[in-house]
Amino acid sequence: MAETEVYWISGSPPSWSALLALEVKRIEYDSHRLDNAKKEQKSEAFLAVNPRGQVPVVKHGDVVVRETLAVLAYLDRAYPEPSLFGGDAERTAHIWQLACECDSFLRNPVGTISRPLFRGKAEAFRDEITAAVPAVRDELDALEGNLEHTPFLAGETISAADLVYYPVIMQLARAAGRDDARSLNLGLMPLADTFPALAAWMTRIENIPGYDLTYPPHWR
């Protein structure tokens, strides 16, 4: 048994961030995939691990860490190389700022768009979906401008900011690329045309060693 364990749900962006961090740091870990359809994250067994019934959760020996940013910060201290949060105060602040901005300004509007599309309810939620698009576009425009100058969001090397943003944008791309999204004219896809620097950045993330091990199994 590995010293580190991770509990996750396929397709959960927060879970994906944690899995990416484990692979970027080349940490050996035991994987515990929970079945969302069966609500295994609400089972008595898992609630004993995390009483809030949410993923991801990382166990490292006797230490149990929940909440995505806390998981990434913990892994960065427990396994310092390669650093996810930078080696100086300015870079660390920049990475934290980006990661927090994803949670504050992008994650919710992406959820507003993606949830009904994944459930086949594009027409029923047309107004809510289209209303969320300007906020998403503003955030993607900002990222596009950033990535025109650096290969990763916080500079020359991958950081926690990349690992937080990438799964959220993948969630958006998968939802907005569905056939039933075409009638909504969201103006977001294909990313390679609308946000070419962002699309190139996504390719760089997808080329990191171990990426395939993190890809949501039910998306294959």
Side-chain angles (χ1 to χ4, degrees):
M1 177 179 289
E3 184 181 21
T4 301
E5 303 173 63
V6 60
Y7 295 80
W8 57 284
I9 288 174
S10 179
S12 154
S15 292
W16 203 350
S17 294
L19 292 170
L20 285 168
L22 289 162
E23 292 299 333
V24 166
K25 287 184 170 289
R26 309 306 295 158
I27 300 168
E28 182 180 353
Y29 61 93
D30 288 332
S31 173
H32 305 288
R33 178 186 173 187
L34 304 180
D35 190 335
N36 185 46
K38 297 178 180 178
K39 300 297 180 185
E40 289 182 347
Q41 72 273 29
K42 304 299 182 182
S43 68
E44 184 176 347
F46 183 67
L47 290 175
V49 177
N50 180 6
R52 293 189 182 275
Q54 296 176 328
V55 292
V57 171
V58 162
K59 290 183 67 179
H60 181 221
D62 294 330
V63 178
V64 179
V65 186
R66 59 180 185 254
E67 298 300 324
T68 309
L69 288 176
V71 166
L72 299 187
Y74 179 84
L75 291 175
D76 210 39
R77 285 296 186 94
Y79 302 92
E81 296 297 333
S83 173
L84 295 180
F85 285 94
D88 61 72
E90 183 177 1
R91 178 168 164 78
T92 297
H94 184 45
I95 292 167
W96 274 104
Q97 178 177 291
L98 286 167
C100 291
E101 285 177 343
C102 180
D103 285 344
S104 296
F105 302 112
L106 186 63
R107 195 180 297 277
N108 284 342
V110 165
T112 299
I113 294 170
S114 63
R115 283 191 295 269
L117 287 172
F118 286 147
R119 294 168 184 166
K121 297 183 178 181
E123 287 302 323
F125 288 85
R126 172 183 285 269
D127 290 345
E128 291 88 344
I129 293 170
T130 55
V133 170
V136 168
R137 179 172 285 279
D138 284 348
E139 295 305 309
L140 297 188
D141 281 339
L143 296 178
E144 180 75 6
N146 187 348
L147 289 164
E148 288 174 351
H149 304 287
T150 61
F152 296 100
L153 291 176
E156 297 298 317
T157 58
I158 196 167
S159 74
D162 301 288
L163 306 187
V164 170
Y165 267 105
Y166 175 83
V168 176
I169 296 173
M170 277 293 286
Q171 177 185 1
L172 172 68
R174 185 171 176 84
R178 289 173 58 94
D179 289 342
D180 54 349
R182 294 176 183 172
S183 65
L184 302 179
N185 298 314
L186 301 179
L188 299 172
M189 301 297 291
L191 284 177
D193 294 337
T194 53
F195 303 99
L198 190 67
W201 164 78
M202 294 177 75
T203 298
R204 286 191 284 275
I205 300 293
E206 290 155 12
N207 284 333
I208 65 173
Y211 170 85
D212 287 346
L213 298 175
T214 74
Y215 192 83
H218 80 286
W219 285 11
R220 296 186 186 277

